[in-house]
């Protein structure tokens, strides 16, 4: 399977704390993208980082990419209860196939 | 951002019937659409990739005669679950991208299928 893996599978933090989740993948990629999914809903695109980029910021989100280790991390700073959701990384490989990681379920406690 | 819709949002059907799910890109032309299924508390599994005007490419283990995909226009793709069985009950999500404009896939809200 070309599916990536994320850790932790579940993360529970207090509001205001930072949340970090990691994604590892197996193939060469063009880019890696992070998505958020609220329970039973569709996916919302958060951020895209290309294979030649190492770090990217968007608001309270910070994404890093290490292509030598085939890994990425998503940091959410100053978390809010509304950030509670599942977060998925997805890799876009050179063949334009798109594969999702296993996901991290984040719970932010008010 | 780009908007993708799916219809219906949920469907309940009897075992043996066929169900059609529509995926539409509302404000852009989708040269490629993707179909995923997701079981509870699990990740999205890519089922197939469809390019407008050509046959869909199915992932290993996905029966093409069971899951019929048609991408007849640049704004519409359909997934038909034929002779549905209870094990086909799942959350089906489509996504669309326009490679001429951007790399991002935009996802529909999903269709929840329950086969009794």
């Amino acid at each position: 399977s070309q599916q990536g893996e994320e850790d932790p599978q579940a993360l529970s933090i207090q509001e205001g704390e930072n949340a970090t989740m990691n994604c590892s993948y197996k193939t060469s990629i063009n880019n890696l993208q992070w998505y958020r999914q609220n329970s039973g809903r569709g996916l919302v695109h958060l951020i895209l980082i290309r294979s030649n980029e190492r770090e990217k910021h968007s608001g309270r989100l910070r994404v890093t990419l290490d292509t030598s280790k085939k890994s990425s991390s998503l940091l959410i700073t100053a978390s809010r209860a509304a950030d509670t959701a599942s977060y998925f990384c997805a890799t876009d490989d050179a063949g334009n196939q798109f594969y999702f990681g296993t996901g991290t379920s984040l719970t932010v406690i008010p | 951002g780009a908007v993708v819709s799916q219809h219906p949002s949920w469907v309940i059907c009897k075992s043996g019937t066929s169900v059609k799910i529509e995926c539409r890109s509302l404000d852009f032309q989708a040269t490629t659409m993707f179909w995923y299924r997701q079981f509870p508390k699990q990740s999205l599994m890519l089922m197939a990739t469809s390019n407008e005007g050509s046959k869909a490419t199915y992932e290993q283990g996905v029966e093409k005669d069971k899951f019929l995909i048609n991408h007849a226009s640049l704004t519409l793709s359909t997934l038909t679950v034929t002779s549905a069985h209870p094990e086909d009950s799942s959350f089906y999500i489509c996504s669309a991208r326009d490679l001429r404009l951007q790399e991002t896939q935009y996802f529909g809200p999903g269709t929840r299928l329950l086969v009794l």
Side-chain angles (χ1 to χ4, degrees), chain A residues 2 25-33 47-54 56 65 67 70 90-99, chain B residues 34 97 99 102-105:
Chain A
Q2 297 190 36
Y25 57 92
K26 300 178 182 177
T27 64
S28 297
I29 62 171
N30 283 337
N31 62 68
L32 185 144
Q33 305 183 38
I47 196 165
L48 178 154
I49 185 165
R50 293 187 175 82
S51 59
N52 61 352
E53 298 175 313
R54 291 296 167 259
K56 205 160 184 180
L65 178 64
T67 53
K70 289 187 169 56
T91 53
D92 191 346
D93 70 9
N96 287 324
Q97 293 295 312
F98 211 66
Y99 296 98
Chain B
F34 303 85
R97 75 199 296 185
L99 287 175
Q102 57 209 351
E103 300 150 295
T104 304
Q105 287 191 22

Side-chain angles (χ1 to χ4, degrees), chain B residues 41-116:
Chain B
K41 298 190 186 300
Q42 294 189 26
S43 186
L44 280 74
M45 296 299 295
L46 179 65
M47 298 175 67
T49 302
S50 73
N51 293 298
E52 185 265 339
S54 62
K55 290 184 178 180
T57 302
Y58 290 80
E59 293 297 297
Q60 193 172 13
V62 179
E63 300 175 57
K64 61 180 181 180
D65 295 328
K66 172 77 171 175
F67 300 98
L68 301 178
I69 292 172
N70 184 280
H71 190 164
S73 77
L74 285 172
T75 59
L76 173 65
S77 176
T78 61
L79 168 67
T80 301
V81 183
T82 62
S83 187
H85 288 97
E87 58 265 31
D88 298 323
S89 298
S90 189
F91 192 51
Y92 292 88
I93 305 177
C94 73
S95 70
R97 75 199 296 185
D98 185 346
L99 287 175
R100 293 169 295 181
L101 298 177
Q102 57 209 351
E103 300 150 295
T104 304
Q105 287 191 22
Y106 292 96
F107 285 79
T111 296
R112 190 162 300 283
L113 170 64
L114 177 60
V115 185
L116 302 176

Side-chain angles (χ1 to χ4, degrees), chain A residues 27-88:
Chain A
T27 64
S28 297
I29 62 171
N30 283 337
N31 62 68
L32 185 144
Q33 305 183 38
W34 285 90
Y35 288 83
R36 164 202 170 115
Q37 183 182 36
N38 287 78
S39 180
R41 307 289 291 274
L43 275 74
V44 175
H45 182 260
L46 295 177
I47 196 165
L48 178 154
I49 185 165
R50 293 187 175 82
S51 59
N52 61 352
E53 298 175 313
R54 291 296 167 259
E55 188 171 312
K56 205 160 184 180
H57 297 256
S58 177
R60 293 185 295 114
L61 306 180
R62 171 177 169 258
V63 169
T64 62
L65 178 64
D66 187 334
T67 53
S68 66
K69 295 181 179 178
K70 289 187 169 56
S71 67
S72 175
S73 68
L74 171 67
L75 168 67
I76 303 174
T77 61
S79 63
R80 305 167 182 168
D83 294 329
T84 295
S86 291
Y87 292 82
F88 296 92

